[in-house]
């Protein structure tokens, strides 16, 4: 049994929130570089250049990459041999978010859904807890902007729709989203499980190193096929036309019921921010 | 070719821009997004004059991050313009001359743009740190209680934009993707 104090969790989350919003990972930057080399559209080239310059401007001038520093989505993988002490875990997570958004001068975007009154400190976070084997606590912070979140969709397909139905739904979602989710995008796709499981898989797939294929060859093949089809739409960077509409497609699957085929598509903009730590 | 435009001096030039024209914008712009638009509608519905004049002005759809000490403004890229679509025709009819944002606009907005010879300029979504570097001055103008959604008056220099929809209704979001569709 390993003891982890909530104070360590607060500190870790504070740091991860800032790190995620200020430093885009090299995985995404490399994909943007490659896309820039291949892009043919003059508008596309111009936009991709600006996005690459933005990454440098963010690092050099110490500014968040994007003003939509998102709603904080936190994935906690808690080893079953971990004992958390010193206070409430949920409170600790929110305190970390509160401090991170304040210290990092990040935008407070969280509000009551009906009254629309801002909570003022970007809490509460959306927290996903998973109990796993071992004695470690793995924390992933993924601030999610809503330009892209708003364009995400979920459907309950019929088993007869099959893989073709999945492809149609994904492509249709991307085409309907058009310029709005700040393409080039990264897609997280969850297939199977139940309604909420598919959505969870889609969100979690976005944590994967950008462009890294699913370990199962048939799923990796579907990822590549969809990436190609999405880039053939011509939507392009910011929807102004071009070869780069998506940088990567990440699919995760889970067994489902014999009567169903849930599919969730979570759209992520090019500011695919996430930061991880293990305690 | 890049067209340098200074606001308010060159406001008349905006209606001659065509979809696809690259623009570097300098001068004065106002900010406003969801909550500020809703507030403006409330004012107009109750026949209360707006606390700022929109005629001959432009609105940049953004909700900046708070400015760190010593900085003029925080990250301030464009937000999705279509969320403002239901409010925009009314503002265009009041003389709003240009909008800066990202993403598509509705048929109603484009109709009102043609009617009022207004233009819609696209900024690179997600380039908030880059655009913050173009902001030379920022002052709170109205609706301070809306926090990040308050209306600011910005002075910008060489803000990089692309003419997305022009005053004739030509729409780069339609023209551009068609050229690259396979």
């Amino acid at each position: 049994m390993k003891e982890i104090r909530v104070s360590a969790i607060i500190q870790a989350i504070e740091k991860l929130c800032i790190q995620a919003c200020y430093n885009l990972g090299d995985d995404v930057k490399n994909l943007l570089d490659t896309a820039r080399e291949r892009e043919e559209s003059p508008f596309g080239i111009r936009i991709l250049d600006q996005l690459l310059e933005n990454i440098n401007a963010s690092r050099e001038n110490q500014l968040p990459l994007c003003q939509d520093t998102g709603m904080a989505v936190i994935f906690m993988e808690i080893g079953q041999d971990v004992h958390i002490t010193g206070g409430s875990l949920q409170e600790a997570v929110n305190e970390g978010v509160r401090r991170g958004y304040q210290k990092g001068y990040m935008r407070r975007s969280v509000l009551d859904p009906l009254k629309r009154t801002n909570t003022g400190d970007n809490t509460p976070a959306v927290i996903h807890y998973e109990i796993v084997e071992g004695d470690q606590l793995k924390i992933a912070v993924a601030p999610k902007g809503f330009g892209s979140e708003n364009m995400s969709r979920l459907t309950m397909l019929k088993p007869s729709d099959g893989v073709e139905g999945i492809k149609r739904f994904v492509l249709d979602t991307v085409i309907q989203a058009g310029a709005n989710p700040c393409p080039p995008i990264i897609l997280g796709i969850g297939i199977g499980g139940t309604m909420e499981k598919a959505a969870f898989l889609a969100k979690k797939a976005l944590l994967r190193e950008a462009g890294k294929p699913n370990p199962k060859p048939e799923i990796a093949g579907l990822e590549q096929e969809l990436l190609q089809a999405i880039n053939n739409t011509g939507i392009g960077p910011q929807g102004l036309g071009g070869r780069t509409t998506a940088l990567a497609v990440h699919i995760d699957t889970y067994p489902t019921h014999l009567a169903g085929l849930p599919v969730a598509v979570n759209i992520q903009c090019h500011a695919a921010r996430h930061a991880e730590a293990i305690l | 070719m890049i067209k340098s435009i200074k606001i308010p001096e060159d406001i008349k030039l905006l209606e001659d821009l065509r979809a696809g024209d690259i623009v570097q914008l300098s001068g004065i712009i106002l900010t406003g997004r969801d909550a500020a638009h809703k507030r403006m509608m409330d004012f107009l519905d109750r026949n209360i004059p707006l606390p700022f004049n929109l005629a001959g002005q432009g609105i940049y759809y953004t909700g900046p991050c708070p400015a760190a000490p010593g900085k003029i403004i925080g990250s301030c890229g464009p937000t999705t313009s279509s969320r403002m679509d239901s409010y925009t025709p009314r503002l265009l009819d009041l003389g709003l001359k240009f909008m800066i944002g990202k993403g598509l606009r509705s048929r109603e907005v484009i109709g009102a743009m043609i009617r009022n010879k207004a233009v819609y300029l696209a900024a690179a979504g997600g380039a908030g740190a880059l655009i913050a570097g173009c902001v030379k001055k920022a002052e709170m103008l109205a609706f301070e209680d809306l926090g990040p959604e308050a209306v600011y008056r910005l002075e910008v220099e060489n803000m990089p934009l692309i003419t997305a929809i022009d005053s004739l209704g030509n729409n780069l979001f339609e023209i551009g993707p068609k050229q690259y569709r396979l």
Side-chain angles (χ1 to χ4, degrees), chain A residues 34-95:
Chain A
T34 312
R36 164 65 181 85
E37 280 165 32
R38 288 186 193 158
E39 186 52 68
E40 295 165 22
S41 145
F43 300 121
I45 289 170
R46 200 174 160 77
I47 295 291
L48 291 171
D49 278 342
Q50 285 180 22
L51 300 184
L52 288 163
E53 278 173 50
N54 186 60
I55 296 171
N56 293 333
S58 160
R59 285 181 188 167
E60 284 167 19
N61 304 331
Q62 278 302 296
L63 286 163
L65 273 167
C66 175
Q67 76 291 339
D68 187 354
T69 45
M71 187 162 193
V73 181
I74 318 272
F75 292 86
M76 306 283 285
E77 285 185 14
I78 306 168
Q80 63 192 31
D81 297 325
V82 168
H83 182 205
I84 292 160
T85 60
S88 147
L89 173 60
Q90 186 168 319
E91 255 315 297
V93 172
N94 282 318
E95 183 59 24

Side-chain angles (χ1 to χ4, degrees), chain B residues 159-179:
Chain B
M159 185 177 181
L161 303 168
I162 297 172
T163 311
I165 306 174
D166 65 29
S167 60
L168 300 176
N170 298 305
N171 187 349
L172 191 58
F173 293 114
E174 282 174 5
I175 305 162
K178 256 184 215 159
Q179 283 175 12

Side-chain angles (χ1 to χ4, degrees), chain A residues 39-43 46-47 50-51 53-54 57-58 61-69 105-108 111 118 147 150 176-182 231-235 238-243 270, chain B residues 2 20 22 33 62-69 71 73-80 82-83 102-104 122-130 132 148-149 160-162 164 172-173 176-177 180-182:
Chain A
E39 186 52 68
E40 295 165 22
S41 145
F43 300 121
R46 200 174 160 77
I47 295 291
Q50 285 180 22
L51 300 184
E53 278 173 50
N54 186 60
S58 160
N61 304 331
Q62 278 302 296
L63 286 163
L65 273 167
C66 175
Q67 76 291 339
D68 187 354
T69 45
Y105 293 91
M106 277 121 67
R107 199 177 78 189
R108 276 71 129 186
L111 41 71
N118 199 302
N150 279 338
Q176 278 206 13
N180 289 348
C182 286
N231 284 331
N232 286 350
T233 60
I235 293 169
Q238 294 300 318
L240 300 171
R243 298 274 168 244
H270 54 83
Chain B
I2 298 176
I22 308 281
R33 50 173 295 156
T62 187
C65 283
K71 291 212 159 68
I73 198 166
S75 195
C76 57
T79 195
T80 310
S82 59
R83 286 198 317 274
K102 70 174 174 83
L104 318 169
L130 184 73
E149 299 199 65
L161 303 168
I162 297 172
L172 191 58
F173 293 114
Y180 293 93
R181 195 170 298 152
L182 295 176

Side-chain angles (χ1 to χ4, degrees), chain A residues 108-127:
Chain A
R108 276 71 129 186
S109 308
V110 175
L111 41 71
D112 179 281
L114 301 179
K115 294 191 204 111
R116 311 304 290 180
T117 44
N118 199 302
T119 63
D121 59 7
N122 221 52
T123 70
V126 173
I127 313 170

Side-chain angles (χ1 to χ4, degrees), chain B residues 3-180:
Chain B
K3 301 195 173 173
S4 289
I5 290 194
K6 196 157 165 37
I7 303 295
E9 292 84 342
D10 300 334
I11 193 88
K12 286 295 284 177
L13 298 181
L14 289 175
E15 65 184 73
D16 299 325
L17 289 174
R18 290 296 158 255
D21 282 351
I22 308 281
V23 172
Q24 266 188 347
L25 192 92
S26 301
I28 305 299
I29 53 177
L30 308 180
T31 71
R33 50 173 295 156
D34 309 60
H37 276 73
K38 193 162 183 293
R39 181 79 56 89
M40 284 190 261
M41 294 303 126
D42 290 344
F43 273 56
L44 295 173
D45 285 344
R46 290 185 290 145
N47 281 319
I48 302 172
L50 296 178
F52 42 85
N53 185 13
L54 279 183
Q57 305 262 17
I59 297 184
Y60 176 30
Y61 303 135
T62 187
C65 283
K71 291 212 159 68
I72 296 166
I73 198 166
S75 195
C76 57
T79 195
T80 310
S81 309
S82 59
R83 286 198 317 274
M84 268 48 80
D85 280 356
S86 57
Y87 311 118
T88 300
R90 204 166 169 188
L91 301 182
L92 288 166
D93 290 337
L94 284 175
L96 181 71
K97 270 294 164 203
F98 65 102
M99 293 89 58
I100 303 171
K102 70 174 174 83
L104 318 169
R105 303 311 304 256
S106 68
R107 197 172 301 164
E108 290 73 22
V109 170
I110 298 174
M113 286 172 59
I114 299 171
R115 186 161 73 233
N116 293 290
K117 297 194 168 113
V119 61
Y120 171 52
L121 305 164
L130 184 73
I131 296 171
C134 302
V135 177
K136 300 302 161 196
K137 214 169 145 187
E139 55 184 22
M140 171 77 61
L141 193 60
F143 310 156
E144 189 170 2
D145 60 299
L146 299 180
E149 299 199 65
V151 174
Y152 288 83
R153 182 178 185 272
L154 304 184
E155 195 178 318
V156 296
E157 203 174 278
N158 297 331
M159 185 177 181
L161 303 168
I162 297 172
T163 311
I165 306 174
D166 65 29
S167 60
L168 300 176
N170 298 305
N171 187 349
L172 191 58
F173 293 114
E174 282 174 5
I175 305 162
K178 256 184 215 159
Q179 283 175 12
Y180 293 93

